[in-house]
Amino acid sequence: MSKLENKTALVTGSSRGIGRATARRLAREGALVAVHYASNAEAAQETVEGIEKEGGRAFTVQAELGVPGDVDTLFEKLTAGLQEHAGEVRLDILVNNAGAMGGQKPEDITPENFDHVIAVNAKAPLFIVQRALPIIPDGGRIINIATGLVRYANPDEIAYSMSKAAIDQISLHFARYLGPRRITVNSVAPGITNNGSPVFDIPEAREFMAGLNAFKQVAEPEDVGDVVAFLASDDARWITGTFVDASGGTLLGG
């Protein structure tokens, strides 16, 4: 039997990148996966089709995060999808992956940009966890995608790093709160990971990015998705409140 047989999972932002790789890996392990997306329905459907080709099960859930009513919309569609595809409203695994980058120099950050990044990366995950608690059974799993940037500096991503530091705090405090229910809550922190952006096709840029970690190569989404899948499994039952560095040893030196 696969490790996640008869489990259900929600992966936010799973139409591409790390979210897609995570959704596919969880499905490969036997979970029914809710593939969340904000606007790219075609890409989300491609994730579902990829899962189904491998013999897995998945369905899409659309909700824009960082706007009024976002969590209500997400859970209305999620509960309907779980009832239809699983026959009950139960969520065993929650992966908060959806995120918004800042990409602004320190002198160019605006209140509007800051508010948007915080709303998507910190506020939405907090209230997604809160809303999920009644339908997560004892022994469930919550995995929040943070970033290696909370441990090293990139001045162009101050707002992003602040928001991801907040999500790490969500993991820490909910881990303590949910411990009596044996629900584990952990953060996974990727480094530079190939998200399909054209910059990864530029040899000089790719060489520079690869040189920042110990393995001297750019991570693929599957490298992070596999770590998430481990934390979602029973093998990780004794790990909670932990910040898992999945950056390939970024900036260890040399």
Side-chain angles (χ1 to χ4, degrees):
M1 181 179 289
S2 299
K3 291 184 177 181
L4 301 178
E5 197 74 33
N6 299 320
K7 302 291 187 182
T8 59
L10 166 65
V11 183
T12 66
S14 48
S15 63
R16 62 183 181 88
I18 291 171
R20 172 180 285 185
T22 298
R24 294 186 67 168
R25 176 60 194 274
L26 295 178
R28 204 174 297 130
E29 293 292 347
L32 166 67
V33 182
V35 174
H36 163 263
Y37 70 100
S39 58
N40 195 334
E42 183 178 352
Q45 188 57 39
E46 287 176 0
T47 301
V48 171
E49 290 172 359
I51 287 171
E52 291 176 341
K53 285 180 181 178
E54 295 180 331
R57 297 188 302 147
F59 61 94
T60 61
V61 177
Q62 188 279 328
E64 182 180 358
L65 300 181
V67 299
D70 52 358
V71 177
D72 290 337
T73 299
L74 173 62
F75 275 83
E76 286 172 7
K77 296 178 180 180
L78 173 65
T79 54
L82 289 172
Q83 187 64 55
E84 177 183 353
H85 296 276
E88 62 177 317
V89 179
R90 187 191 80 248
L91 183 64
D92 298 288
I93 302 160
L94 167 61
V95 182
N96 274 310
N97 168 75
M101 298 294 288
Q104 292 184 316
K105 295 185 180 302
E107 59 269 28
D108 296 330
I109 298 172
T110 65
E112 293 77 17
N113 173 261
F114 179 83
D115 288 346
H116 174 69
V117 171
I118 294 295
V120 174
N121 295 354
K123 183 179 179 180
L126 170 63
F127 289 101
I128 288 172
V129 172
Q130 181 192 67
R131 183 65 68 86
L133 291 183
I135 63 173
I136 295 181
D138 291 357
R141 300 285 185 266
I142 299 172
I143 300 117
N144 297 314
I145 305 302
T147 176
L149 286 177
V150 303
R151 295 290 195 270
Y152 51 87
N154 178 348
D156 290 350
E157 292 295 351
I158 292 176
Y160 177 75
S161 299
M162 289 176 65
S163 69
K164 289 298 188 176
I167 204 171
D168 187 39
Q169 290 300 304
I170 292 172
S171 298
L172 180 66
H173 294 283
F174 270 110
R176 178 68 178 271
Y177 181 68
L178 297 173
R181 292 181 55 192
R182 295 179 293 104
I183 296 174
T184 67
V185 191
N186 293 289
S187 297
V188 173
I192 295 174
T193 305
N194 184 359
N195 61 5
S197 171
V199 71
F200 289 95
D201 295 325
I202 302 172
E204 295 82 4
R206 191 178 182 93
E207 181 180 2
F208 171 78
M209 290 185 287
L212 296 175
N213 67 52
F215 299 127
K216 305 306 178 188
Q217 62 187 53
V218 172
E220 293 300 323
E222 291 75 14
D223 295 322
V224 182
D226 289 350
V227 176
V228 176
F230 165 69
L231 291 172
S233 75
D234 190 56
D235 292 341
R237 62 191 176 277
W238 209 242
I239 301 173
T240 196
T242 298
F243 179 92
V244 180
D245 187 324
S247 71
T250 297
L251 298 184
L252 285 176

